[in-house]
Amino acid sequence: MRSVSIIGTHLTNFGKLDKNLKQIAAEACVGAMDDAGISPRQIEEFVLGNFASGTLTKQETVAPIVANAVGLASIPATKVEGACASGGIALRYGYQMVASGLRDFVLVAGVEKMTAAPTTKAIESLAAAEDMEIEGRTGLTFPGFFALVMNRYSQKFGTTREQIAQVSVKNRKYGTRNPKAQFRKEVTVEEVINSRLIADPIRLLDCCGISDGAGAAVLCPTETARKFTDTPIQIAGIAQVSGKGAAFEYEDLTGFESTKVAAEQAMRMARVSHREVDVLELHDCFTIAEIVASEDLGFFTKGAGSGALEEGETQIGGKIPINPSGGLLSKGHPIGATGIGQVYEIVEQLRGEAPNQVSDAKVGMTHNFGATGTVCVVSILKR
Amino acid sequence: MRSVSIIGTHLTNFGKLDKNLKQIAAEACVGAMDDAGISPRQIEEFVLGNFASGTLTKQETVAPIVANAVGLASIPATKVEGACASGGIALRYGYQMVASGLRDFVLVAGVEKMTAAPTTKAIESLAAAEDMEIEGRTGLTFPGFFALVMNRYSQKFGTTREQIAQVSVKNRKYGTRNPKAQFRKEVTVEEVINSRLIADPIRLLDCCGISDGAGAAVLCPTETARKFTDTPIQIAGIAQVSGKGAAFEYEDLTGFESTKVAAEQAMRMARVSHREVDVLELHDCFTIAEIVASEDLGFFTKGAGSGALEEGETQIGGKIPINPSGGLLSKGHPIGATGIGQVYEIVEQLRGEAPNQVSDAKVGMTHNFGATGTVCVVSILKR
């Protein structure tokens, strides 16, 4: 297998955008190709992560439609879907094409247009990521699922509502400096725990937003990368793992096997230890998700995540800076775009150009989590 | 690149099935693994072609949900989408994984559950394969698009309604002997041209059905294949090509560039000439589509397809037997399943086990066409 590097990347603003799905995706794709200094005609394969364009925007066949909009040749253009991990899946597919020698230049992207549909429709579309035959029919949505996780975690480890709220405080503080973020306002613990109740004990400020947005990246063999950029970023490890499709299948909701296995596989592939990871963009769709994943990824022992957070271990300067971009909680969560958005943030960190820069960051990790842990993609990026 | 072979395949019945999407897909996957004599735990990657499970069944994240249902390990499980060519795309992705040496055993499948939604909803979901920003908003559905094709073709080449209807007569005759087919009743030219008007000049019996169904295939390196079966079928060539996303972009609606290019690429890769192809499963979503594609694929010059059909050149015993399975017109068209369904039919032919067997068939071709030629996948299979 060949070493693969990212030579260009771009992220649109996240939020309620006055553009349709095709325009948003095109902005990211054109931006990434411009950043790489590569022509659309040089791209040999296009992979687009997208979750629910059919239900949210009444548009399918999105990959070739976007490919045509940005002037790609008549190359294969494929949509990949795996709930909230669709973007990560696109990255992995692109990685495989280049690593195996099948392709030299691959454009990967992720997009979601969520605000065109009424919010109730968006919530229904999101719920369809669960196994609808089993838990979906009970009416359990994802705030409900993570409410179960928060309750179980708090009961098992004695963690308080105030402690968990600190994820939102940290990430939204970082988000104030991220120009792409949907929410750029600091919040206090009191504001989080007194915000509107969504699914007890989850409050509005424990949740990420419903957002439009897209990200894209251009991949090529590492040996060619320096012809395009002085700061190629190597994809040193990447793993996609499937997990359970419903809450009831878990013996214990305080951890997710798919995150653990994906992290192990990606880190083994990259030959990187936890101590070597300088910065982590993690799938904080809800506050509790960050604490749980920080443990599942192996940075803290189970139950120690909230204590570590309180002690500043997940801030810049701490043991492992988590979500210096502001995370999903600040940036918003345009489903199909999120996995590529995380890659964009880590590339910025490794180039030394991030809004909240981790000093001398050499190795970064992304964690993209889908549905009830049904899919998880972890990548390790290196400069 | 390694040579890749199919060692097992399965197709469910097509039609209105009394099972949900997960059950239908699982039946095909288990059947294909049984046919190969392989255990689910040996499968290393799962790729599922599916078009619109979100709008048709309110279920997303279908690939890992099906993977769990059939006992696969926590391997990558990815949905791929490209309108009616989603199944063909899944085959190509699986082919690439094995050809490149990344994986030894890959399960590819395609599924659609269309009859759970009201027919009006199914039609709306299908229309979303078009670029909705351009032609979709005019109300042009796919029967409408192929009506434009039929009109233009007839005007340009003087082809009569009766001549075009013979596609339906041929394919539905073959379909009577296919136990998996949705429609197993012979029709006459008069019945076709007098059936209910759908989109002038297209009539009901010019159209394929709205169907449920799934197909699956197990791929592995050719060098390993004979450990599993005496009749491995090699994927000698495969190509996926993107094309235009709207009718107005075509200078002439009597041919589709994506079909031409995909055929050229797949045949070059397989080092196979037209004379060597013994049997062809072609994307006959509408009668006129078969005539047009038989030319675009290079078997007849442009405008000669309907004459060749009339002279029996596309029947068993003719120059190139097209759709001896009964095609989409008889079998039905569960969107995501169709591409894999075509592979199943060709595998049956090359094993000498087809309901309408082409004598001593050694080389087969599949042609899987999406939207307005926006995606096309062509494969060449060899025994």
Side-chain angles (χ1 to χ4, degrees):
Chain A
M1 294 296 115
R2 300 193 288 188
S3 172
V4 178
S5 286
I6 297 167
I7 54 171
T9 181
H10 190 79
L11 195 71
T12 68
N13 289 338
F14 282 6
K16 186 168 168 54
L17 305 181
D18 191 23
K19 288 183 172 182
N20 66 23
L21 181 139
K22 183 165 62 173
Q23 292 166 327
I24 297 168
E27 180 189 330
C29 290
V30 168
M33 289 187 286
D34 283 353
D35 188 41
I38 198 168
S39 142
R41 311 307 282 189
Q42 289 176 269
I43 301 293
E44 297 165 297
E45 180 118 11
F46 176 53
V47 193
L48 180 62
N50 172 261
F51 172 53
S53 66
T55 53
L56 290 168
T57 69
K58 299 192 178 184
Q59 181 66 66
E60 309 279 6
T61 332
V62 284
I65 286 174
V66 171
N68 287 338
V70 300
L72 302 187
S74 61
I75 58 167
T78 300
K79 162 174 165 167
V80 292
E81 187 272 327
C84 306
S86 299
I89 291 172
L91 179 73
R92 177 174 168 274
Y93 187 173
Y95 168 85
Q96 289 175 317
M97 292 301 101
V98 178
S100 65
L102 285 164
R103 301 292 188 190
D104 285 329
F105 298 104
V106 174
L107 176 65
V108 299
V111 65
E112 210 77 48
K113 173 75 187 178
M114 302 182 76
T115 68
T119 303
T120 49
K121 181 71 184 170
I123 290 167
E124 190 190 329
S125 295
L126 288 165
E130 282 182 80
D131 191 328
M132 294 303 284
E133 190 193 355
I134 305 172
E135 283 176 354
R137 69 201 297 178
T138 67
L140 186 71
T141 58
F142 283 94
F145 175 75
F146 280 98
L148 294 173
V149 173
M150 196 189 282
N151 272 331
R152 179 73 185 114
Y153 188 94
S154 301
Q155 184 218 29
K156 189 165 177 180
F157 300 114
T159 310
T160 64
R161 237 348 316 242
E162 285 77 8
Q163 285 176 302
I164 296 167
Q166 289 186 15
V167 173
S168 190
V169 174
K170 168 177 73 73
N171 291 359
R172 291 177 197 269
K173 188 186 79 188
Y174 286 138
T176 59
R177 297 193 52 185
N178 186 340
K180 312 270 189 188
Q182 183 170 16
F183 305 109
R184 275 175 273 173
K185 190 171 166 293
E186 286 202 52
V187 295
T188 64
V189 166
E190 288 63 40
E191 282 171 324
V192 176
I193 65 178
N194 292 314
S195 60
R196 185 155 61 87
L197 192 64
I198 301 295
D200 194 19
I202 282 187
R203 303 269 169 170
L204 183 65
L205 293 174
D206 288 303
C207 306
C208 62
I210 288 176
S211 326
D212 309 329
V218 180
L219 315 184
C220 81
T222 298
E223 60 185 24
T224 319
R226 285 205 178 264
K227 289 183 192 162
F228 291 88
T229 173
D230 293 335
T231 53
I233 304 300
Q234 188 200 4
I235 303 174
I238 186 162
Q240 176 186 341
V241 170
S242 300
K244 300 180 193 305
F248 86 90
E249 297 187 86
Y250 288 96
E251 276 188 41
D252 184 334
L253 281 170
T254 62
F256 298 101
E257 189 70 13
S258 56
T259 294
K260 288 178 205 168
V261 176
E264 284 162 15
Q265 288 182 3
M267 293 180 79
R268 197 181 319 127
M269 184 175 168
R271 295 180 191 172
V272 154
S273 69
H274 286 92
R275 282 198 311 132
E276 290 172 279
V277 179
D278 298 308
V279 55
L280 166 60
E281 288 288 326
L282 172 158
H283 201 94
D284 59 328
C285 44
F286 299 93
T287 46
I288 187 64
E290 176 165 311
I291 294 170
V292 168
S294 71
E295 298 164 356
D296 290 342
L297 291 167
F299 291 98
F300 306 106
T301 55
K302 191 48 72 184
S306 67
L309 167 72
E310 250 187 327
E311 289 155 24
E313 294 287 16
T314 60
Q315 294 180 29
I316 294 172
K319 184 181 173 189
I320 176 70
I322 297 181
N323 287 325
S325 70
L328 284 57
L329 287 169
S330 298
K331 289 176 68 187
H333 182 20
I335 307 293
T338 287
I340 302 289
Q342 295 176 323
V343 168
Y344 170 86
E345 302 296 346
I346 295 292
V347 167
E348 292 282 286
Q349 287 285 350
L350 300 180
R351 286 176 173 178
E353 298 170 355
N356 297 296
Q357 181 66 43
V358 173
S359 137
D360 196 31
K362 290 189 181 70
V363 177
M365 177 189 271
T366 66
H367 164 257
N368 192 198
F369 186 83
T372 57
T374 318
V375 198
C376 185
V377 179
V378 170
S379 79
I380 308 286
L381 306 184
K382 275 186 183 175
R383 74 165 154 97
Chain B
M1 294 294 116
R2 300 193 291 187
S3 171
V4 178
S5 286
I6 297 167
I7 55 171
T9 182
H10 190 78
L11 195 71
T12 67
N13 289 338
F14 282 7
K16 186 169 166 57
L17 305 181
D18 191 22
K19 287 182 172 182
N20 66 24
L21 180 138
K22 182 164 65 172
Q23 293 165 327
I24 296 168
E27 181 189 330
C29 290
V30 168
M33 289 188 286
D34 283 353
D35 187 41
I38 198 168
S39 142
R41 311 306 284 190
Q42 290 177 268
I43 300 293
E44 297 164 296
E45 180 117 11
F46 176 52
V47 194
L48 180 64
N50 173 261
F51 172 54
S53 65
T55 52
L56 291 168
T57 69
K58 300 191 178 184
Q59 181 67 67
E60 309 279 5
T61 332
V62 285
I65 287 174
V66 171
N68 287 338
V70 301
L72 302 187
S74 60
I75 58 167
T78 300
K79 162 172 163 167
V80 291
E81 187 270 330
C84 305
S86 300
I89 290 173
L91 179 73
R92 177 174 168 273
Y93 187 173
Y95 168 86
Q96 288 174 316
M97 293 299 102
V98 178
S100 65
L102 286 164
R103 301 293 189 188
D104 285 328
F105 298 104
V106 174
L107 177 64
V108 299
V111 65
E112 210 76 48
K113 172 75 186 179
M114 301 181 75
T115 68
T119 303
T120 48
K121 180 74 185 167
I123 290 166
E124 189 190 328
S125 296
L126 288 166
E130 283 181 82
D131 191 328
M132 294 303 283
E133 190 194 353
I134 306 173
E135 283 177 353
R137 68 200 300 180
T138 68
L140 185 72
T141 59
F142 284 94
F145 175 74
F146 280 97
L148 295 174
V149 174
M150 196 188 283
N151 272 331
R152 178 73 186 115
Y153 188 95
S154 301
Q155 185 218 28
K156 187 164 179 178
F157 300 114
T159 311
T160 64
R161 234 356 310 245
E162 286 77 6
Q163 285 176 303
I164 296 167
Q166 289 186 17
V167 174
S168 189
V169 174
K170 169 178 74 71
N171 291 358
R172 290 176 197 271
K173 187 185 83 188
Y174 286 138
T176 60
R177 297 192 53 185
N178 185 342
K180 313 269 189 190
Q182 183 170 15
F183 306 108
R184 275 174 275 172
K185 191 171 165 292
E186 286 201 52
V187 296
T188 63
V189 166
E190 288 66 36
E191 284 172 324
V192 175
I193 64 177
N194 293 313
S195 60
R196 183 155 63 84
L197 192 65
I198 301 295
D200 194 20
I202 283 187
R203 303 266 170 173
L204 183 66
L205 293 173
D206 289 303
C207 307
C208 62
I210 288 175
S211 326
D212 309 329
V218 180
L219 315 184
C220 80
T222 299
E223 60 185 25
T224 319
R226 286 208 178 264
K227 291 183 190 162
F228 290 89
T229 173
D230 293 336
T231 54
I233 304 300
Q234 189 201 4
I235 303 174
I238 186 161
Q240 176 185 339
V241 170
S242 300
K244 299 179 195 304
F248 87 89
E249 297 188 86
Y250 287 96
E251 275 188 42
D252 184 336
L253 282 170
T254 62
F256 298 101
E257 188 71 13
S258 56
T259 294
K260 289 178 205 169
V261 176
E264 283 162 14
Q265 288 183 3
M267 294 180 79
R268 195 181 320 130
M269 184 175 166
R271 295 180 192 174
V272 155
S273 69
H274 287 93
R275 283 197 311 129
E276 290 172 279
V277 179
D278 298 308
V279 56
L280 166 60
E281 289 287 328
L282 172 157
H283 201 94
D284 59 327
C285 45
F286 299 93
T287 46
I288 186 64
E290 177 165 312
I291 294 170
V292 168
S294 72
E295 298 164 356
D296 290 341
L297 291 166
F299 291 99
F300 306 106
T301 54
K302 190 49 67 186
S306 68
L309 167 73
E310 250 188 326
E311 287 156 24
E313 294 288 16
T314 61
Q315 293 179 30
I316 294 171
K319 183 181 173 189
I320 177 67
I322 297 181
N323 288 325
S325 69
L328 283 57
L329 288 168
S330 298
K331 289 175 69 187
H333 182 22
I335 307 294
T338 286
I340 302 288
Q342 295 175 324
V343 168
Y344 170 86
E345 303 296 346
I346 294 293
V347 167
E348 292 281 288
Q349 287 285 352
L350 300 181
R351 286 175 174 178
E353 297 171 357
N356 297 296
Q357 181 66 43
V358 173
S359 135
D360 196 29
K362 289 189 181 72
V363 176
M365 178 189 271
T366 66
H367 164 257
N368 192 196
F369 186 84
T372 56
T374 320
V375 198
C376 186
V377 180
V378 170
S379 79
I380 308 286
L381 306 182
K382 276 187 182 174
R383 75 165 153 97

